[in-house]
Amino acid sequence: MVDRRRRSVRTALVAEALRVALAGRAQGDPGLDIVDLGGGTGGFAVPLAVEGHRVTVVDPSPDALASLERRASDEGVSALIRGVQGDAAELPGLAGESSADAVLCHGVLEVVDDPVQALQAMASVLREGGVLSLLVAQRNAVVLARALAGHLAEARVALQDPDGRWGATDPMPRRYDEASITAQLADAGFTVHTVHGVRTFADLVPSAFVDAEPGAAESLAELERAASQHPAFRALATQLHILATR
Ligand SMILES: C[S@@+](CC[C@H](N)C(=O)[O-])C[C@H]1O[C@@H](n2cnc3c(N)ncnc32)[C@H](O)[C@@H]1O
């Protein structure tokens, strides 16, 4: 229960913004074709299927796809979910060109071998006017986090490294700034509509406080919402959520 509450603080804003964008695209049609690249165990895909959308999850992990299948079955939406084992580079062949009203890419562009090629692949899978929901790790947050943890030299490295990494053992291959990711999206032919900061405070506030204090999770969610579009605080968020169209 506590875990679920903390998770929902982290994902609620993304899910809400996505729902609004999909409603704009759907124009009354309840079932859109959605591709979730690196959709993993279906944290976003399964709720979208519950809302009536047809979702194809492309992910290289067989374990994640097995969990996705179980989750879809538990929710009674197996007929609306298709799990396909594969990599971002193979996306057009696996999902089909111009086959999707929306593509989700949440927490994946940071880890693929070739992010420029992955963005081009997502653009090719989208129909004209289709929506891209992109969630990427932001450099500034890791600079702050390393400094607050006392790793000051690593904070400086992350600040200056072209990929926003804090050192050779940083498990994250790359992080983005708002300017760098919006420029890459423009190069791939996308028009950016909204940029929100996600997890501005959720990763900084001690979990003991959020779990123990009555009403704290709700207050945190409200604070996150207020900060998500504030230019200074958005720049400190752990992730950036971008909605763009092709
Ligand atoms: C951080 S998880 C995010 C899962 C899901 N998108 C979410 O937001 O809950 C990253 C996912 O990307 C997948 N992944 C890793 N490399 C990939 C690649 N080259 N192409 C597509 N997906 C990849 C992983 O298997 C994993 O499921």
Side-chain angles (χ1 to χ4, degrees), residues 36-41 43-44 58-61 64 86-88 106-108 111-113:
D36 190 351
L37 176 62
T41 60
F44 282 90
V58 175
D59 199 290
S61 161
D87 183 277
H106 293 175
V108 183
V111 300
V112 299
D113 288 341

Side-chain angles (χ1 to χ4, degrees), residues 6 198-206 220 223-224 227 233 237-238:
R6 282 191 71 76
V198 177
R199 292 162 51 187
T200 311
F201 298 102
D203 297 343
L204 298 175
V205 174
L220 179 58
L223 181 60
E224 285 288 335
F233 283 100
T238 301

Side-chain angles (χ1 to χ4, degrees), residues 17 42 91 166 188 214 237:
L91 184 65
W166 49 254

Side-chain angles (χ1 to χ4, degrees), residues 111-166:
V111 300
V112 299
D113 288 341
D114 186 341
V116 171
Q117 183 199 39
L119 285 174
Q120 285 164 353
M122 289 183 253
S124 79
V125 160
L126 278 171
R127 296 179 179 136
E128 194 71 36
V131 175
L132 171 67
S133 174
L134 181 67
L135 190 63
V136 290
Q138 181 164 229
R139 170 210 304 267
N140 295 348
V142 85
V143 174
L144 194 62
R146 295 318 279 177
L148 290 176
H151 303 297
L152 302 177
E154 290 175 354
R156 184 175 45 75
V157 171
L159 183 63
Q160 294 170 335
D161 180 67
D163 287 323
R165 303 179 74 224
W166 49 254

Side-chain angles (χ1 to χ4, degrees), residues 204-222:
L204 298 175
V205 174
S207 55
F209 170 75
V210 178
D211 298 342
E213 194 75 18
E218 292 72 18
S219 295
L220 179 58
E222 284 310 309

